[in-house]
Amino acid sequence: MGPPTLWRYLYSGFLDRLGGSQHWKEGIIRFMNIGKMEAGNLLRLNQPPQRLVHSRRFSHRRTVTLTVNASQGEIRYRGMKPRREWIADWVSNNDDLVRSMPIYVGGLSLLAVLFNRTVSGIAPVADASSSQSRADLLTLGLAVTNILNGLVWLSIRPKSISVVNPNGVECQRIASHLPDFVISELLWAWNSLSDVTCCRSLVIVYDGKCILQTGFAAASLSNGSDAVPVDSNKLIEGSLYQGVLKSASQSYLANLSLYPGKSELPFLPSNTQAVILQPLGDKGIAIIGGDTIRGFTSSDQAWITLIGEKLDATLTKRQQSFLDLNAAIKMALSTIRTVNHLLKAFTAATRRLSSDSNATINVEISKPYTAHNIDPPSSIVETTPNELMTFFSDMAEMRRMEIAADSLYKAKLIRGFCHLYDGQEAVAIGMEAAITKKDCIITAYRDHCIFLARGGGLVESFAELMGRKDGCSKGKGGSMHFYKKDSGFYGGHGIVGAQVPLGIGISFAQKYNKEDHVTFAMYGDGAANQGQLFEALNMAALWDLPAILVCENNHYGMGTAEWRAAKSPAYYKRGDYVPGLKVVDGMDALAVKQACKFAKDHVLTKGPIILEMDTYRYHGHSMSDPGSTYRTRDEISGVRGERDPVERIRNLILDHNIATEQELKDIEKGKRKVVDEAIAKAKEIPMPDPSDLFTNVYMKGFGVEVFGADRKELRSTLP
């Protein structure tokens, strides 16, 4: 198609600037023939970007720096803007006048006919057979047609094509990993577009990341002065992004308010009028938001296409350089890791020869406890190599079970509600390490891993999840109603907060029977505002019952963040007269163990206590909740990367040379196999017989008699 428009302008303007220097002209001609050269290496803005006032003055010029080579220094010239289509621009800016022109033409034609008849003395109504009358009638018909055409044009015009001030805040976010020359080109593109076109917002997503967000953006709901960030993952999954990359051509949404895909661009101001989606090769797109309906002319679109090609060339070359450098670094690091691995393996093998699996290891928890009306326990926790390995093995099994349950639910082998526990395993593991099977636990519907920690089996778990008769609740309870009374597990409960009064009742029975045991009544932050919880806590405090109320605060009650549901989210202080202890990092199994041991010793002599476990769930509230509509994927991955309970125990084991990394991987691989085998066995178990629906309703042996309303007629006797 010939040299790109940008380089033509640079070429012609630069030669004019140089005058008659043939030597310089030849150098510039050779320079202009370089194909696909990054504009970022050619253009450097003289001043940092500032707030830009939108202008339609297309003759405006900006000073740029063009570097020919280092020895010749820098030469400045005032470059031209893209050529404008003046007629098209005038028509676009005078839309109402253009649409009204047929009305003016028709009206003038009508007046001309009447004037002609008046001046020439022809009667208003003449013989239609005369040539003059026929000409006048034809003119009148055309005049009426023009007037009607003008009215139709006016009726179908957009509501407004005037400039609209964006509803949002100005921002400029640039990816920190980009080199200077790429940043310069991105800023050059923004300044060029904002000066020449109606562009007021620019977002560039490349290789799965947002590398630029500048101009106006929608204001954040939580903080009106902050701009809504670009969720790259959500944008890439949307139909707009996929459609543009698939078509590999520019997409122009001339009236964004009428387009249903507007919801995929929440980061743009709410009153953005028009949007251009420009593909950057096959790895990204540029999103240009305008302040005027149909404000982007054909020359604007050509200019944007050219800028897109140049940005793609620059980013592709930068990425290739980065990949080459990264490959070299990886090769060097691989060699270092190999040597390190061999040294660690040798050291670990040497130490294990003389180590004791029950030797005491003192570990300081990552964050100290916060207490209410009580002195907190020590931040130093005692453990052993054997305990750490048990923690890792049990949590790996729990994690694998929950991942498998996710797959079974999606395959429709698990029906109804299903609430997964992955991310919160440290609570179950740490609590179990501090108590015995004589102590009791009662919880809500997120109960799978609590059941496993209490000694339940995988086959029983999967059988119950799939509604089979050999499940831990005979296939009648499903995901929310696991039960194991012989190990002191009084089940999961589906009614929010209803298990807490039951747990207080169990602790009452323990004290009444003079048992030296305690009850853990678990609930989530979503149930922390329930009235029944405070009523039960009041009775427990009155009677000094051995009850430990455990709030698993994963920060979201279903889809509601804790700060939106609770005026005071310090749940460990809710007891007022009842002491409380917050495990600031409830994803640390050792911290949970220490807190539960401390709480048990306290309640056996002094009455109830509240424990708050600061934890996090990776899945949504239940399987029907994707878990990403009220929180970001970056938030989830951030917690997983920094606080994951399984990884924390893995690091402790490796740091103390208790096992090698390969040995831990083998344990995880073995757990995967064990879980798969349990699922296969559970699938072979039959469903309960329909007659089982009527069993386990009343306790056997009481001989309950059923009478009529007048209690005179014996209707039946239950077994």
Side-chain angles (χ1 to χ4, degrees):
M1 171 173 102
T5 306
L6 172 63
W7 303 133
R8 284 207 306 272
Y9 286 134
L10 290 177
Y11 170 74
S12 59
F14 199 70
L15 292 186
D16 291 342
R17 196 74 171 175
L18 293 175
S21 174
Q22 185 63 31
H23 171 74
W24 276 96
K25 288 183 180 180
E26 292 176 357
I28 294 303
I29 291 172
R30 289 194 299 271
F31 175 75
M32 299 308 298
N33 288 331
I34 299 176
K36 291 292 182 181
M37 182 167 291
E38 301 112 70
N41 289 332
L42 308 178
L43 299 172
R44 293 290 186 271
L45 297 177
N46 290 330
Q47 297 181 1
Q50 301 174 351
R51 178 176 178 178
L52 300 172
V53 179
H54 178 63
S55 172
R56 300 295 293 181
R57 298 195 301 271
F58 302 115
S59 60
H60 176 73
R61 297 169 179 264
R62 179 191 293 120
T63 301
V64 298
T65 299
L66 179 61
T67 303
V68 177
N69 60 50
S71 63
Q72 295 170 339
E74 294 183 347
I75 297 177
R76 299 175 184 273
Y77 88 109
R78 300 182 67 81
M80 299 172 59
K81 295 298 178 188
R83 184 176 58 192
R84 309 303 303 180
E85 299 290 344
W86 294 103
I87 296 177
D89 292 342
W90 184 88
V91 170
S92 177
N93 293 330
N94 297 275
D95 186 78
D96 284 345
L97 178 61
V98 173
R99 291 175 183 272
S100 302
M101 286 184 69
I103 298 177
Y104 298 146
V105 173
L108 290 174
S109 299
L110 184 60
L111 291 175
V113 170
L114 295 177
F115 179 76
N116 179 52
R117 283 181 170 271
T118 302
V119 172
S120 61
I122 301 175
V125 180
D127 183 7
S129 61
S130 67
S131 59
Q132 180 65 40
S133 296
R134 286 197 297 271
D136 289 345
L137 289 173
L138 178 60
T139 303
L140 288 173
L142 292 175
V144 172
T145 301
N146 280 332
I147 293 172
L148 292 175
N149 282 339
L151 292 173
V152 171
W153 284 11
L154 286 173
S155 67
I156 62 175
R157 73 183 186 278
K159 292 182 179 179
S160 172
I161 60 170
S162 59
V163 175
V164 176
N165 291 324
N167 291 335
V169 295
E170 290 186 89
C171 74
Q172 187 170 93
R173 293 170 174 158
I174 304 175
S176 58
H177 64 276
L178 298 176
D180 291 342
F181 78 90
V182 175
I183 294 176
S184 296
E185 180 164 342
L186 293 176
L187 295 177
W188 163 78
W190 160 244
N191 281 271
S192 175
L193 291 173
S194 59
D195 272 3
V196 175
T197 73
C198 68
C199 170
R200 303 301 297 277
S201 307
L202 176 61
V203 171
I204 296 179
V205 176
Y206 196 84
D207 199 24
K209 298 181 179 65
C210 178
I211 61 174
L212 176 67
Q213 181 184 13
T214 188
F216 280 89
S220 172
L221 294 177
S222 59
N223 187 349
S225 61
D226 291 341
V228 174
V230 178
D231 187 343
S232 303
N233 294 329
K234 189 173 182 179
L235 177 65
I236 290 172
E237 294 173 357
S239 59
L240 282 179
Y241 184 94
Q242 297 295 333
V244 171
L245 287 192
K246 186 175 181 180
S247 64
S249 60
Q250 186 182 96
S251 179
Y252 182 13
L253 311 180
N255 190 351
L256 187 61
S257 62
L258 301 178
Y259 192 77
K262 180 181 179 181
S263 60
E264 298 180 23
L265 308 172
F267 44 82
L268 292 181
S270 58
N271 62 340
T272 298
Q273 301 296 295
V275 169
I276 283 185
L277 304 173
Q278 174 63 43
L280 304 178
D282 59 352
K283 293 186 178 180
I285 64 171
I287 303 171
I288 301 102
D291 58 8
T292 312
I293 294 178
R294 297 187 296 103
F296 293 103
T297 64
S298 57
S299 56
D300 292 340
Q301 296 176 55
W303 179 246
I304 291 170
T305 299
L306 176 62
I307 288 178
E309 292 174 355
K310 295 305 172 188
L311 289 177
D312 178 45
T314 298
L315 293 169
T316 300
K317 187 168 290 187
R318 176 256 168 193
Q319 188 181 48
Q320 186 58 48
S321 300
F322 176 79
L323 290 175
D324 293 342
L325 177 62
N326 197 34
I329 293 174
K330 281 185 176 180
M331 186 176 297
L333 289 177
S334 177
T335 305
I336 295 173
R337 286 196 195 99
T338 302
V339 174
N340 262 348
H341 181 72
L342 292 173
L343 288 174
K344 281 186 176 181
F346 176 76
T347 304
T350 304
R351 290 191 180 183
R352 282 200 302 275
L353 289 175
S354 58
S355 66
D356 182 2
S357 62
N358 293 316
T360 300
I361 300 174
N362 292 322
V363 178
E364 184 175 4
I365 62 175
S366 57
K367 296 179 181 178
Y369 302 103
T370 305
H372 169 67
N373 288 343
I374 196 172
D375 292 330
S378 171
S379 296
I380 305 297
V381 185
E382 290 186 358
T383 185
T384 64
N386 186 56
E387 183 179 60
L388 290 176
M389 291 300 293
T390 302
F391 280 5
F392 182 83
S393 177
D394 290 347
M395 283 198 288
E397 185 173 294
M398 291 176 179
R399 180 68 58 85
R400 190 61 199 172
M401 180 185 74
E402 296 296 69
I403 292 173
D406 175 281
S407 301
L408 291 172
Y409 191 93
K410 292 173 179 176
K412 297 184 178 181
L413 291 172
I414 299 175
R415 311 304 290 263
F417 292 103
C418 184
H419 307 79
L420 301 183
Y421 203 70
D422 49 328
Q424 300 182 210
E425 298 95 342
V427 176
I429 288 295
M431 184 169 56
E432 192 63 39
I435 61 178
T436 69
K437 294 296 189 291
K438 295 293 184 179
D439 297 307
C440 299
I441 299 176
I442 188 169
T443 188
Y445 34 74
R446 207 177 302 278
D447 57 356
H448 309 163
C449 294
I450 305 292
F451 174 78
L452 276 190
R454 292 263 81 186
L458 285 171
V459 176
E460 293 175 278
S461 300
F462 285 114
E464 189 62 37
L465 286 170
M466 292 188 281
R468 310 300 170 121
K469 69 176 186 178
D470 290 345
C472 58
S473 296
K474 308 300 181 185
K476 298 179 181 182
S479 169
M480 297 195 293
H481 300 287
F482 279 35
Y483 196 81
K484 190 173 177 59
K485 184 179 178 182
D486 58 355
S487 294
F489 182 52
Y490 286 87
H493 293 263
I495 305 300
V496 176
Q499 72 278 5
V500 176
L502 297 178
I504 301 303
I506 297 171
S507 67
F508 178 80
Q510 289 171 328
K511 184 166 185 177
Y512 184 83
N513 292 327
K514 295 181 173 54
E515 298 176 5
D516 193 22
H517 308 302
V518 302
T519 295
F520 289 80
M522 306 176 70
Y523 58 96
D525 54 286
N529 300 315
Q530 289 270 325
Q532 57 188 329
L533 188 150
F534 293 95
E535 294 178 46
L537 181 61
N538 180 62
M539 287 189 284
L542 280 173
W543 300 329
D544 290 332
L545 300 182
I548 302 171
L549 279 69
V550 181
C551 176
E552 293 184 279
N553 181 10
N554 58 30
H555 302 285
Y556 295 96
M558 296 187 71
T560 304
E562 58 176 346
W563 60 268
R564 296 179 60 196
K567 182 64 177 176
S568 172
Y571 300 113
Y572 68 103
K573 295 182 179 180
R574 290 290 188 87
D576 187 19
Y577 44 83
V578 174
L581 182 68
K582 181 175 182 178
V583 182
V584 180
D585 193 351
M587 300 177 80
D588 183 345
L590 293 175
V592 174
K593 167 193 166 184
Q594 183 90 323
C596 291
K597 182 179 179 182
F598 172 83
K600 179 178 178 179
D601 293 339
H602 172 86
V603 301
L604 285 173
T605 57
K606 300 178 183 179
I609 189 174
I610 297 176
L611 294 183
E612 179 184 344
M613 306 291 184
D614 189 319
T615 184
Y616 200 83
R617 55 173 164 80
Y618 297 152
H619 272 82
H621 171 73
S622 67
M623 286 300 297
S624 59
D625 169 22
S628 57
T629 56
Y630 48 85
R631 56 182 183 174
T632 64
R633 289 186 174 87
D634 290 340
E635 176 184 315
I636 301 171
S637 60
V639 176
R640 188 188 291 269
E642 296 176 9
R643 298 177 59 198
D644 185 78
V646 180
E647 293 304 311
R648 178 163 291 167
I649 297 299
R650 184 199 304 273
N651 292 335
L652 278 174
I653 292 172
L654 295 176
D655 290 344
H656 289 84
N657 295 315
I658 299 170
T660 64
E661 190 169 350
Q662 185 58 48
E663 288 172 338
L664 297 181
K665 288 182 179 179
D666 290 342
I667 291 175
E668 290 177 309
K669 185 177 180 181
K671 292 300 180 183
R672 188 179 295 111
K673 182 179 179 181
V674 169
V675 168
D676 291 342
E677 291 174 351
I679 293 173
K681 291 179 181 178
K683 287 180 179 179
E684 296 175 358
I685 300 173
M687 297 288 184
D689 190 89
S691 62
D692 288 341
L693 181 64
F694 303 98
T695 61
N696 306 119
V697 178
Y698 297 100
M699 182 173 286
K700 293 182 178 181
F702 280 83
V704 181
E705 295 178 331
V706 180
F707 291 88
D710 56 3
R711 296 192 59 81
K712 293 181 179 179
E713 180 184 356
L714 180 63
R715 297 291 180 85
S716 64
T717 302
L718 298 176

